[in-house]
Amino acid sequence: RALGGLVLVDTVPADLERARFRASADVLDGSAQGSTPLGAHGAVGAGVRYGYVDRWLPRLLAPELLGLYRIPSYWDSHAELFRSLGAGQTLRVRWLSSADQRQTELSSSDPALRTTAREEQSFGRLYLQYRTPRVSVTPFVGWDAQEDGLRVGSERAELDTRALRYGMRALYRERLSARLSLLLGVDASGSIARNRREGSLSVPRREGSPYPFGAP
């Protein structure tokens, strides 16, 4: 257990008794979230955040300094439906998504050395969680996307990865006696990915290297 670990993150169920709403904004981003009961045994909630620091901060920087800072453009959202089925059984449907983009530019008096780097990534997940006092089953499906681009002078390189993610986590607990318990579980995941690569993200070639890997 010295090389890695497992972090378990859970969301707080929506309030089953009254509606709630909260909004906030600062110089970096703005957000809003709310929830409302659905009858006596259920609730639904949603939230969103949008970043706008990239709209005003670059205007305060000198053009020759823009390449020294990575100013992100981002947003994220979540939604959840909670339902109590009685006898200790609950059903939760959750949605999570996020995206961010960064771009830097290094200007140069030599057009062949002018550099532009761009990074974009996003993900989305849909979870269905069913729980009883003994059993917990959570299947999920979603996507991952990442795109990297680099331009040095007239040389251009891109790497684009799109993946469909799916999987399931299940857990079963049974107390056999006062000193003995049985615990069974499974954690499985898979993906179907499409990768597109054009050029090399290490352009331009290193000095003295006649055959750079992946050069256009």
Side-chain angles (χ1 to χ4, degrees):
R1 298 175 185 267
L3 298 180
L6 178 65
V7 178
L8 298 179
V9 180
D10 203 355
T11 57
V12 177
D15 196 325
L16 300 178
E17 297 181 357
R18 60 176 180 172
R20 294 179 178 270
F21 178 78
R22 183 178 68 180
S24 64
D26 54 34
V27 297
L28 299 180
D29 54 47
S31 64
Q33 60 180 6
S35 65
T36 183
L38 294 178
H41 304 288
V44 62
V48 64
R49 179 178 60 166
Y50 180 76
Y52 41 72
V53 64
D54 61 305
R55 302 293 182 89
W56 60 267
L57 185 56
R59 302 178 183 178
L60 304 182
L61 301 176
E64 61 271 16
L65 298 179
L66 288 176
L68 302 179
Y69 302 93
R70 291 192 173 187
I71 303 174
S73 171
Y74 60 91
W75 63 265
D76 56 68
S77 65
H78 75 273
E80 178 170 342
L81 172 65
F82 173 82
R83 183 70 179 177
S84 176
L85 305 178
Q89 304 178 78
T90 61
L91 180 66
R92 300 173 76 175
V93 181
R94 304 173 183 171
W95 168 259
L96 297 174
S97 61
S98 176
D100 64 86
Q101 176 182 347
R102 299 173 298 276
Q103 180 169 318
T104 57
E105 297 182 5
L106 290 176
S107 59
S108 174
S109 57
D110 185 355
L113 298 179
R114 190 169 300 166
T115 303
T116 302
R118 174 178 51 84
E119 300 177 13
E120 298 181 12
Q121 57 184 351
S122 64
F123 83 92
R125 293 290 188 276
L126 177 64
Y127 299 89
L128 175 66
Q129 185 181 64
Y130 172 74
R131 280 184 176 178
T132 72
R134 297 180 179 178
V135 177
S136 174
V137 181
T138 309
F140 71 89
V141 66
W143 85 85
D144 286 343
Q146 182 168 350
E147 184 175 352
D148 298 328
L150 178 65
R151 178 182 289 273
V152 180
S154 60
E155 301 288 347
R156 182 174 60 89
E158 291 186 358
L159 178 62
D160 186 8
T161 301
R162 313 280 173 170
L164 173 68
R165 307 287 188 182
Y166 55 90
M168 183 187 69
R169 171 173 291 180
L171 188 64
Y172 173 77
R173 299 183 180 91
E174 180 69 32
R175 190 171 186 86
L176 303 179
S177 66
R179 298 185 177 183
L180 184 62
S181 298
L182 175 65
L183 180 63
L184 301 175
V186 60
D187 189 359
S189 64
S191 66
I192 301 174
R194 179 183 65 84
N195 298 279
R196 182 180 62 85
R197 184 176 182 275
E198 181 178 350
S200 171
L201 294 178
S202 62
V203 292
R205 68 179 66 189
R206 294 175 297 175
E207 184 178 357
S209 176
Y211 302 109
F213 172 76

